[in-house]
């Protein structure tokens, strides 16, 4: 049987005991911009637990259609990402992963872009292709494809009458927690 141990911040117990320690810490922190000293990390409070959840696909579709109807940023395209407030700064659905949906109206495409996160896509609906790092990847409903980190890519819906829906999961939560997440639009 395992037992969850509630961690407690013990910084005060160590630092507050001796004035000399407090003075040295203050000197280090005051002499450097944007720096704080942690003298004892083992007992910091754990993050809030991410709760299980179900995202209803039909509701997501309604939202994506509405967003794609009049998108001034990318005509005929909508993208939503899902995150849990319990992940705090990472803004992922878990602390390391963020899922999302892309909706591409018939005959439309996304703008070329790159990011340092990796993405795994599942084609939920439609037919088309993605250009990833200069390589054309044709896809249809049920296919899975990968976009490695830092590769310029875009997605094209080749259908004349059916909208495409892509579901993707990225490691953006991990990169956000490391403070190194980047996103670039290409010309």
């Amino acid at each position: 049987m395992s037992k969850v141990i509630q961690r407690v911040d013990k910084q005060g117990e160590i630092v507050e005991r001796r004035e000399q320690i407090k003075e040295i810490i203050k000197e280090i922190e005051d002499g450097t911009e944007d720096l704080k000293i942690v003298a004892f990390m083992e007992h910091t409070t754990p993050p809030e637990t991410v709760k299980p959840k179900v995202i209803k696909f039909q509701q997501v579709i309604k939202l994506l259609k509405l967003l794609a109807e009049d998108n001034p940023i990318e005509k005929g395209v909508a993208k939503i990402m899902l995150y849990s407030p319990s992940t705090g700064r990472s803004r992922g659905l878990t602390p390391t992963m963020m899922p999302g949906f892309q909706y591409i109206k018939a005959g439309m495409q996304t703008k070329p872009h790159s990011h340092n996160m990796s993405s795994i896509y599942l084609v939920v609906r439609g037919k088309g292709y993605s250009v990833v790092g200069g390589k054309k990847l044709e896809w249809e409903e049920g296919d899975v494809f990968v976009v490695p980190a830092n590769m310029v890519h875009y997605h094209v819906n080749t259908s004349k009458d059916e909208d495409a829906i892509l579901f993707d999961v990225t490691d953006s939560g991990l990169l956000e927690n490391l403070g190194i997440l980047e996103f670039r639009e290409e010309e």
Side-chain angles (χ1 to χ4, degrees), residues 128-139 145-148 151-156:
Y129 66 89
S130 297
V131 175
V132 180
K135 182 177 180 179
K136 184 177 181 179
L137 306 174
E138 295 190 31
W139 44 256
F145 64 95
V146 175
V147 176
M151 286 200 168
V152 175
H153 61 280
Y154 60 94
H155 313 292
V156 179

Side-chain angles (χ1 to χ4, degrees), residues 1-153:
M1 172 184 263
S2 64
K3 175 179 151 185
V4 175
I5 299 171
Q6 187 69 6
R7 293 181 273 171
V8 178
D9 186 350
K10 301 274 188 172
Q11 174 89 356
E13 292 178 33
I14 295 170
V15 173
E16 299 300 321
R17 299 174 351 130
R18 294 180 41 207
E19 195 61 36
Q20 183 182 15
I21 292 172
K22 288 192 323 190
E23 288 174 20
I24 293 171
I25 288 174
K26 187 174 180 353
E27 286 175 16
I28 294 169
E29 291 176 349
D30 287 346
T32 306
E33 187 178 328
D34 195 31
L35 175 71
K36 289 291 181 191
I37 302 288
V38 176
F40 192 77
M41 291 185 70
E42 311 315 322
H43 289 86
T44 55
T45 305
E48 186 179 334
T49 301
V50 175
K51 295 164 186 62
K53 54 193 67 58
V54 172
I55 292 95
K56 295 295 186 179
F57 184 67
Q58 294 308 315
Q59 292 171 323
V60 168
I61 296 303
K62 283 185 210 174
L63 175 60
L64 287 167
K65 283 181 179 179
L66 286 172
L67 291 170
E69 278 179 17
D70 188 28
N71 184 343
I73 298 166
E74 280 190 280
K75 186 178 178 194
V77 174
K79 167 95 179 175
I80 64 167
M81 282 97 33
L82 306 164
Y83 82 97
S84 172
S86 62
T87 64
R89 185 175 180 271
S90 75
R91 294 182 52 95
L93 202 52
T94 73
T96 59
M97 298 182 301
M98 179 180 281
F101 286 92
Q102 288 188 17
Y103 187 89
I104 308 166
K105 293 185 81 138
M108 303 303 288
Q109 72 178 50
T110 65
K111 291 180 180 178
H113 64 280
S114 66
H115 36 70
N116 63 341
M117 60 186 160
S118 299
S119 304
I120 299 173
Y121 285 86
L122 168 67
V123 181
V124 177
R125 184 180 298 160
K127 184 176 182 178
Y129 66 89
S130 297
V131 175
V132 180
K135 182 177 180 179
K136 184 177 181 179
L137 306 174
E138 295 190 31
W139 44 256
E140 61 186 32
E141 188 172 317
D143 288 347
V144 173
F145 64 95
V146 175
V147 176
N150 298 311
M151 286 200 168
V152 175
H153 61 280

